[in-house]
Amino acid sequence: MWFQVDTGILKVVLEAAQACNISTVDFYPDIRQADPRFGDFQANGVLPYAKLHHLNPRHVTEQIVEKLRSLEVFSGKIEVSVAGPGFINFKLSGSFLTEWLNLYKSENDYRSAIAQNWSGRRIVIDYSSPNTAKQMHVGHLRSMNIGDSIYRILKFCGADIIRDNHIGDWGTQFGILIMTIKKEGLRISDLSLEEVELLYQRGSTLVRSNESALATARNELVKLQNGDSENLEIWKIINKISLAAFDDIYREMGVSFDYTLGESFYRDRVDRIYQELMEKHIARIDNGALCVFHEDHEQFSRQPFIIRKADGASNYATTDLATVLYRTEILHADELIYVTDGRQQDHFQQLFLTVQKWYAAFNRKCPEMQHVWFGTILGEDGKAIKTRSGTPIKLKELLNEAKTRAREIANEKSEGLSDSDRQHVANVIGIDSIKYVDLLPNRTNDYVFSWGKMLSFNGNTAAYLLYAIARIKSILRKCDTDIIDLTADCLETEEEKNLVRKLIYFPIILSQAAKELRPHYLCTYLFELTGECSTFYRADRILGEPTNITSRRLAIMLRTLNILETGMHLLGLETLERM
Ligand code: ARG
């Protein structure tokens, strides 16, 4: 019994086609969701094949269908029919659905069934990656949420995946900071990150109007880069303060990393990059800077990828090249995923093109590289979201506000709970809601941030899903049957069948989310599953029916709950026992 039904059907269709002497080289049956009036899945692909070979498509379809009907895997379980000019429809029988339901029961079952597809792939995912010396703001939310969810999805699918927080800890901000700290004679170890940020603001105001301060700041930066011990000490303390503040947010968001190798980690690993790229004539000097041009590319034949500035300093591109080397040679990654906003698309395209040429020139196995980019969070005025004073909203404040607003809701809706339980409910609703609104839109779209919509119990929100889950849990608590080992006998009602059909879609959606690196498919799915589940228990009584019916329906509920919770966890969302 297949866990993922579409790929299972696909395999059999290809075998059947081969048995009918249809060459699978140019036959691509795409297994899609069918019009529910005619079936559950549909295979197309015969039409283009028949056209190519000047055959009658209907005839080819009939041949394949006849073959399929004779196969053991389908008999009595999946009804196969010819549809339209050359489509094949598949309808899952009640007994197929029951068998699936009784076989895939828990998160562990799903995990081991799906892991076959992804095992053996070593991936490094680079996400969050803020710059130090500044607080995280709302612009840092999406990389964290999307990256964390993709990590969870790929890990669940069996990938050997490493999380690397590539913090920007070697930037030009340190020249100004060190200059200001020395000038004001501050003891920085006592400072908070907010204070460091204010310090930086004072310093940058100063250098804008004061030439000599600007020169001092530049000089402090050069000294830092040349390893001056006093400056290195200041730099270290500032990074420590920054990381401690980031950690508070990561803890609150339930996000963690396997490595935090910032840009500074690569600062002594850049010479090899210059040498290798020059040796193979991939990089050349242009206006004093070392640049890579991609002659075969319309835009990047003219727009340089600067890998060493004219003053000899390395930059963002250099460290990213050195990082690729580290991730492939030391971490042995086959695939690299970068999660940043859409404005960095040029950078990553140029990086990937450069790496491809560079690795080919040295006969190294080039990793697969993907830039998982995302759109902007907009305010209700349709512009990038900001505070009233025009600065980006601090992430810490955003999270606090979410929890405060959720607390008001919990006070109203969770009257029966103790104060500390209510606070827990509020924290989960608050943080989950922020994550969910961020994951729900297709990542490449912008979205409008609205507290009202986000915390509503109606519509596609975290609160709605959390509530549905808590409700199922409360129903399950009411029955004293030993529900762990429930098995269902053959499904009867349409609502039962429809709900189980929806459950069967879970691995399909999961694979799609993993393949396209888009968690929003899961959000949409969980919302639809919840709807199907409500329809089911509105129509079909669970308790007070004959034992076989009650236990069948409880089994369906329990599996629905497992899939809902598994899905929520894959999005990085915590769930609640009661609300
Ligand atoms: N620190 C960068 C920023 O704040 C993001 C780094 C993304 N990762 C990378 N390897 N370039 O925009």
Side-chain angles (χ1 to χ4, degrees):
M1 168 61 62
W2 314 302
F3 181 48
Q4 191 178 333
V5 180
D6 61 342
T7 51
I9 293 180
L10 174 68
K11 214 173 129 230
V12 182
V13 170
L14 285 173
E15 280 162 13
Q18 240 161 358
C20 300
N21 286 325
I22 292 168
S23 147
T24 47
V25 177
D26 42 26
F27 174 52
Y28 306 106
D30 196 9
I31 311 293
R32 302 227 187 118
Q33 187 162 14
D35 179 332
R37 284 171 302 169
F38 307 120
D40 295 303
F41 294 96
Q42 180 170 82
N44 45 31
V46 173
L47 288 180
Y49 176 84
K51 196 167 171 215
L52 191 71
H53 295 271
H54 308 290
L55 297 168
N56 175 340
R58 181 91 191 173
H59 180 68
V60 177
T61 313
E62 276 161 1
Q63 255 185 309
I64 301 176
V65 165
E66 200 178 317
K67 181 77 208 163
L68 287 171
R69 283 191 182 134
S70 73
L71 296 176
E72 177 72 32
V73 262
F74 280 9
S75 74
K77 290 185 192 160
I78 300 180
E79 218 179 278
V80 194
S81 57
V82 181
F87 303 114
I88 309 169
N89 275 350
F90 302 88
K91 195 166 176 59
L92 309 176
S93 69
S95 71
F96 182 98
L97 297 172
T98 311
E99 204 183 316
W100 193 94
L101 190 70
N102 287 332
L103 203 57
Y104 301 106
K105 294 183 173 175
S106 67
E107 192 165 319
N108 270 338
D109 295 339
Y110 316 144
R111 192 191 296 274
S112 45
I114 203 143
Q116 298 156 4
N117 306 354
W118 287 78
S119 65
R121 289 166 72 167
R122 180 160 258 237
I123 305 173
V124 171
I125 182 163
D126 173 324
Y127 67 102
S128 188
S129 310
N131 297 335
T132 57
K134 279 183 232 154
Q135 295 183 76
M136 280 201 251
H137 57 73
V138 61
H140 292 102
L141 196 58
R142 300 203 81 185
S143 174
M144 200 184 327
N145 288 336
I146 296 169
D148 183 53
S149 173
I150 290 177
Y151 162 75
R152 288 166 190 265
I153 291 171
L154 294 181
K155 174 103 184 160
F156 191 85
C157 292
D160 175 10
I161 182 164
I162 300 168
R163 294 160 291 182
D164 188 5
N165 192 5
H166 187 74
I167 51 169
D169 60 353
W170 198 238
T172 47
Q173 70 266 40
F174 286 100
I176 291 180
L177 272 169
I178 294 172
M179 180 273 292
T180 320
I181 288 164
K182 288 187 179 170
K183 198 174 140 292
E184 298 188 6
L186 295 168
R187 263 184 57 88
I188 55 162
S189 47
D190 306 329
L191 296 183
S192 67
L193 186 55
E194 283 90 331
E195 287 161 332
V196 171
E197 203 172 37
L198 290 176
L199 196 75
Y200 176 76
Q201 283 162 7
R202 283 205 297 280
S204 38
T205 314
L206 181 68
V207 297
R208 250 178 267 132
S209 61
N210 183 325
E211 286 284 326
S212 94
L214 181 65
T216 315
R218 286 213 177 110
N219 188 41
E220 295 295 2
L221 183 66
V222 173
K223 272 166 66 189
L224 172 69
Q225 288 171 342
N226 293 336
D228 174 89
S229 61
E230 191 190 358
N231 284 9
L232 272 175
E233 197 48 41
I234 297 177
W235 167 78
K236 261 191 218 146
I237 295 172
I238 293 175
N239 282 332
K240 202 168 141 211
I241 295 170
S242 310
L243 287 176
F246 296 165
D247 274 344
D248 288 341
I249 290 193
Y250 293 141
R251 208 168 310 114
E252 185 119 61
M253 298 289 279
V255 170
S256 48
F257 299 93
D258 303 299
Y259 292 92
T260 299
L261 298 177
E263 291 175 20
S264 68
F265 177 78
Y266 300 97
R267 65 184 187 270
D268 299 324
R269 298 167 199 254
V270 293
D271 285 339
R272 181 170 158 204
I273 312 291
Y274 305 141
Q275 270 164 26
E276 291 194 357
L277 290 180
M278 283 198 290
E279 178 190 328
K280 298 290 179 186
H281 307 289
I282 296 169
R284 63 175 154 89
I285 304 286
D286 187 78
N287 280 321
L290 188 60
C291 304
V292 179
F293 291 92
H294 298 285
E295 305 304 344
D296 39 0
H297 192 283
E298 199 187 303
Q299 183 185 356
F300 304 132
S301 57
R302 280 166 289 123
Q303 183 181 323
F305 189 50
I306 302 176
I307 64 168
R308 189 180 60 205
K309 295 193 277 187
D311 64 7
S314 62
N315 65 4
Y316 190 51
T318 334
T319 39
D320 258 336
L321 288 165
T323 307
V324 171
L325 208 51
Y326 187 81
R327 289 176 180 167
T328 54
E329 288 189 341
I330 309 294
L331 302 180
H332 303 291
D334 313 303
E335 291 176 47
L336 307 176
I337 295 174
Y338 299 85
V339 188
T340 81
D341 72 52
R343 288 170 304 180
Q344 297 199 31
Q345 286 181 80
D346 280 4
H347 168 77
F348 283 105
Q349 278 190 48
Q350 287 173 299
L351 176 70
F352 298 167
L353 287 169
T354 306
V355 170
Q356 280 154 8
K357 285 189 187 154
W358 173 30
Y359 272 49
F362 285 91
N363 279 323
R364 294 186 191 125
K365 187 172 166 276
C366 188
E368 236 179 76
M369 294 166 281
Q370 304 221 49
H371 183 208
V372 170
W373 62 272
F374 49 81
T376 311
I377 306 180
L378 306 174
E380 293 192 77
D381 60 357
K383 296 193 192 120
I385 188 167
K386 293 234 161 66
T387 59
R388 269 201 207 98
S389 62
T391 52
I393 300 168
K394 303 283 178 265
L395 207 44
K396 201 162 119 186
E397 285 157 22
L398 191 81
L399 300 183
N400 285 341
E401 177 155 1
K403 287 187 292 182
T404 312
R405 286 176 183 254
R407 175 71 210 218
E408 283 161 26
I409 295 173
N411 285 347
E412 194 186 307
K413 299 235 176 199
S414 307
E415 271 176 326
L417 300 185
S418 71
D419 189 63
S420 71
D421 284 349
R422 241 186 275 167
Q423 191 53 49
H424 177 65
V425 167
N427 292 352
V428 173
I429 295 183
I431 302 295
D432 276 7
S433 300
I434 294 256
K435 289 188 179 191
Y436 195 76
V437 281
D438 206 37
L439 293 168
L440 177 63
N442 193 343
R443 61 174 163 76
T444 41
N445 294 344
D446 297 342
Y447 74 89
V448 175
F449 188 94
S450 143
W451 287 113
K453 262 197 218 151
M454 167 176 141
L455 289 163
S456 159
F457 276 76
N458 300 313
N460 194 352
T461 63
Y464 170 80
L465 294 176
L466 285 170
Y467 185 68
I469 288 172
R471 188 152 60 153
I472 299 178
K473 292 202 181 212
S474 105
I475 294 173
L476 294 176
R477 270 196 299 272
K478 279 192 204 119
C479 39
D480 42 34
T481 4
D482 177 18
I483 50 177
I484 307 302
D485 251 342
L486 279 180
T487 47
D489 60 3
C490 206
L491 305 178
E492 261 172 13
T493 66
E494 272 319 296
E495 290 78 18
E496 290 174 347
K497 287 184 197 158
N498 285 341
L499 179 53
V500 178
R501 275 203 182 93
K502 199 76 198 170
L503 295 179
I504 282 186
Y505 261 87
F506 174 63
I508 299 175
I509 300 297
L510 186 59
S511 298
Q512 191 182 11
K515 213 186 298 157
E516 294 183 34
L517 306 173
R518 292 182 196 273
H520 77 278
Y521 290 123
L522 263 178
C523 300
T524 313
Y525 170 76
L526 294 178
F527 177 64
E528 289 172 5
L529 177 60
T530 307
E532 206 68 72
C533 182
S534 317
T535 310
F536 160 74
Y537 66 63
R538 262 199 308 269
D540 294 353
R541 213 161 64 155
I542 296 176
L543 301 177
E545 294 284 334
T547 324
N548 71 318
I549 298 185
T550 294
S551 69
R552 176 174 72 230
R553 292 185 180 162
L554 278 175
I556 299 175
M557 279 294 247
L558 192 62
R559 297 313 185 260
T560 307
L561 175 66
N562 286 343
I563 289 186
L564 280 174
E565 286 204 288
T566 304
M568 294 287 273
H569 298 154
L570 290 174
L571 295 169
L573 305 173
E574 230 184 284
T575 51
L576 290 163
E577 291 301 309
R578 43 187 108 224
M579 282 173 85

